[in-house]
Amino acid sequence: STISRTIENMISKSFLFTLIFKIFEFIENEWVNSYFKSLHPSESFLSIFKKSKILKEAIFSPLIVLVTFTLFLLLATDPISRDLQIVLIIAFVSFFIGSIIFPRFILNNQNEEFNKTDKKNKIPLFDTKDIYSLGFCLTLIGIVFLFISIASVGGLPILKSSLRYSLKPIFTMPVFLVIPGIGLIASHRLNQYKNGEISRSQVRFRFLVLTLIGMITVLTLEYRTPIIAILLMMIIIAYYGEILSVWEVILGALIGVCAIMGIGYLRSLNELAISANTSIFSTLETRANFTMHVLNLLNQISGNFGLLHGKMIASSMPGSPLGPRMLVGKLIAWRTEVTVTPTLLGQMIVDFGKIGVAVEMCLLGFILGTGYKIIKITKDSFYIAIYSLILTYSILGVETGILDIQILFYFFIISFIYLAVILKDKGIKIY
């Protein structure tokens, strides 16, 4: 935090950033006081959604992962084997136990009404200025490496799709730090709103600007999943920060679904993978069928106890000859030049079989369930942000799997924070 604060103070006081902030401040004032803002529906618009407790409070509980997985299965029209059906049942039951049952036995020593100034509360709270400076530095790193990535291929991948395959992971991976970066900045803005330092209109505008900055950054490299990650993460933060209405959350989710279909469809057209006569919905169905077929093959070769015993998750580490998704291609087709998405369960099955699915899905559910319980107790903006980050990647991981090293790192750090919270609640000293 000391380093990031020093860097943030030094850069934010530079002429360039002072000018940028002044421009955004001018646009914000114009927006807050504009006539067009008054055309936006009021808080009472579609108030019917507010009557549902689930829609109002629990849209993004950990169980949204199972709902997403179910919808993905419904998209896949091809039948799956009976053995894979058993695996799916094990996965769903284990995740439910981990996310709903186990969290009931932790964090039960908190006051009924959480008070941030009460030192008896054992959940540690973070200085949001430190969180902001860390988010600022991560976002800055992402933008800097965006320009390095563009320079390394000599053009913009969004304008020429073939350049995307020339991008070097060593340069593109840091670009994705913009995702947790804007999430941490958003948590600081949310805290300012809760403390009355900025108005609701201002915090909504700043969330919109942060979302656009993040989406434009990753869209330049023509990546689809990070765009959806940014949009979904910001929606979840805004939902639990109570700066979005329920109908706006639903609209945002629909926009995200349309973005997934639209970007995938256009990219397939550019790569001549489909014809212009192919339906957008049929591309989704085909993708879901293919991914489930991959999972079915992985299940057949892995058995009850797995095939690689941890080597697939270890292949996420930098320097590995094959990445996890390339390893999937080698396992099912002996093709190492392609990346294949194995769903959320693919790595679990290949590494440790049905046993791995039960243990890892339960662990994933417990991590998300713990985060969900913490934000329900504290309503703290930092805990909302980190929960939103891992929930976002869990939802997206339903198709892609949780296999990227930076995503695994996010889960590790956040799990460490949650573990510290649990230990302090139990009265165990951790320092």
Side-chain angles (χ1 to χ4, degrees):
S1 64
T2 302
I3 295 172
S4 61
R5 275 211 187 194
T6 302
I7 296 172
E8 183 257 323
N9 288 332
M10 179 179 64
I11 294 177
S12 61
K13 291 178 181 178
S14 66
F15 173 76
L16 176 61
F17 274 80
T18 301
L19 179 62
I20 292 173
F21 291 149
K22 288 290 184 183
I23 292 172
F24 278 127
E25 185 179 358
F26 172 77
I27 297 173
E28 178 184 87
N29 290 333
E30 291 297 313
W31 166 253
V32 170
N33 300 310
S34 69
Y35 167 75
F36 295 102
K37 191 179 76 68
S38 64
L39 299 178
H40 189 274
S42 65
E43 287 295 309
S44 60
F45 181 68
L46 295 178
S47 58
I48 188 173
F49 289 129
K50 293 185 178 181
K51 297 179 180 179
S52 170
K53 187 174 182 180
I54 293 178
L55 290 179
K56 189 178 179 181
E57 300 179 4
I59 295 179
F60 295 110
S61 76
L63 294 182
I64 190 66
V65 176
L66 298 186
V67 173
T68 306
F69 211 140
T70 302
L71 293 175
F72 185 76
L73 291 172
L74 293 175
L75 276 175
T77 55
D78 292 348
I80 58 177
S81 68
R82 184 171 295 275
D83 192 53
L84 184 56
Q85 292 175 22
I86 295 173
V87 171
L88 291 172
I89 293 172
I90 292 173
F92 276 50
V93 171
S94 299
F95 186 89
F96 182 86
I97 293 172
S99 62
I100 303 299
I101 306 300
F102 284 173
R104 294 180 180 180
F105 301 99
I106 60 171
L107 304 177
N108 294 323
N109 295 324
Q110 303 301 313
N111 295 338
E112 291 185 4
E113 190 66 31
F114 188 83
N115 184 354
K116 292 185 178 182
T117 62
D118 185 0
K119 293 183 179 180
K120 292 182 180 179
N121 285 308
K122 298 182 177 63
I123 293 182
L125 301 177
F126 295 81
D127 188 337
T128 59
K129 291 183 179 179
D130 288 338
I131 301 305
Y132 171 79
S133 62
L134 178 59
F136 181 89
C137 291
L138 291 176
T139 304
L140 186 64
I141 291 171
I143 293 173
V144 168
F145 273 90
L146 169 67
F147 289 105
I148 294 174
S149 298
I150 292 171
S152 69
V153 296
L156 296 175
I158 191 174
L159 300 178
K160 189 176 181 182
S161 294
S162 59
L163 291 176
R164 192 170 69 89
Y165 300 101
S166 300
L167 290 169
K168 298 177 177 61
I170 193 173
F171 296 145
T172 57
M173 283 177 60
V175 175
F176 302 136
L177 291 175
V178 74
I179 300 174
I182 66 170
L184 295 178
I185 294 175
S187 74
H188 174 66
R189 299 304 181 199
L190 178 59
N191 191 68
Q192 287 182 309
Y193 165 63
K194 289 182 175 181
N195 293 335
E197 298 174 27
I198 56 177
S199 68
R200 193 169 190 271
S201 295
Q202 287 177 305
V203 72
R204 284 163 65 93
F205 176 80
R206 295 181 187 189
F207 265 57
L208 178 61
V209 170
L210 286 171
T211 304
L212 291 175
I213 290 173
M215 291 177 70
I216 291 171
T217 300
V218 295
L219 181 61
T220 304
L221 300 181
E222 208 191 21
Y223 282 102
R224 178 184 62 175
T225 303
I227 295 175
I228 309 304
I230 291 168
L231 180 61
L232 182 56
M233 178 187 68
M234 295 299 282
I235 287 174
I236 298 173
I237 295 174
Y239 172 76
Y240 284 113
E242 298 180 353
I243 64 172
L244 282 182
S245 302
V246 176
W247 71 267
E248 291 175 313
V249 172
I250 295 173
L251 179 62
L254 291 175
I255 291 173
V257 172
C258 292
I260 292 174
M261 294 190 297
I263 296 172
Y265 180 74
L266 292 175
R267 200 165 81 182
S268 298
L269 280 179
N270 291 336
E271 296 172 358
L272 303 178
I274 61 174
S275 68
N277 296 324
T278 305
S279 164
I280 290 181
F281 296 101
S282 66
T283 59
L284 275 181
E285 180 185 321
T286 302
R287 188 179 182 97
N289 280 328
F290 174 76
T291 308
M292 289 306 299
H293 181 60
V294 169
L295 183 62
N296 200 38
L297 291 174
L298 293 176
N299 181 56
Q300 289 179 15
I301 64 176
S302 299
N304 292 327
F305 301 100
L307 183 68
L308 298 183
H309 308 299
K311 292 181 181 178
M312 175 169 280
I313 195 69
S315 67
S316 301
M317 299 296 293
S320 300
L322 293 177
R325 296 181 184 88
M326 287 186 175
L327 194 55
V328 173
K330 181 180 179 180
L331 286 173
I332 64 174
W334 286 96
R335 295 181 62 190
T336 59
E337 70 275 10
V338 295
T339 58
V340 182
T341 54
T343 80
L344 185 62
L345 307 181
Q347 170 271 322
M348 305 175 189
I349 291 175
V350 171
D351 274 340
F352 305 108
K354 293 181 179 66
I355 303 298
V357 170
V359 173
E360 291 189 44
M361 283 297 284
C362 185
L363 178 61
L364 176 62
F366 181 68
I367 293 170
L368 293 173
T370 302
Y372 184 66
K373 188 166 186 177
I374 290 173
I375 66 172
K376 285 297 183 181
I377 294 172
T378 66
K379 295 180 174 58
D380 181 72
S381 57
F382 170 70
Y383 286 110
I384 290 174
I386 61 175
Y387 172 75
S388 301
L389 180 66
I390 59 173
L391 180 62
T392 292
Y393 280 115
S394 297
I395 293 172
L396 296 178
V398 165
E399 182 197 4
T400 64
I402 302 175
L403 297 171
D404 301 294
I405 184 62
Q406 71 269 26
I407 298 174
L408 292 170
F409 183 72
Y410 303 154
F411 272 88
F412 175 78
I413 292 295
I414 293 171
S415 298
F416 180 81
I417 294 172
Y418 289 165
L419 177 62
V421 170
I422 293 171
L423 292 178
K424 292 202 75 174
D425 179 72
K426 296 292 186 182
I428 301 174
K429 291 186 177 181
I430 57 173
Y431 53 86

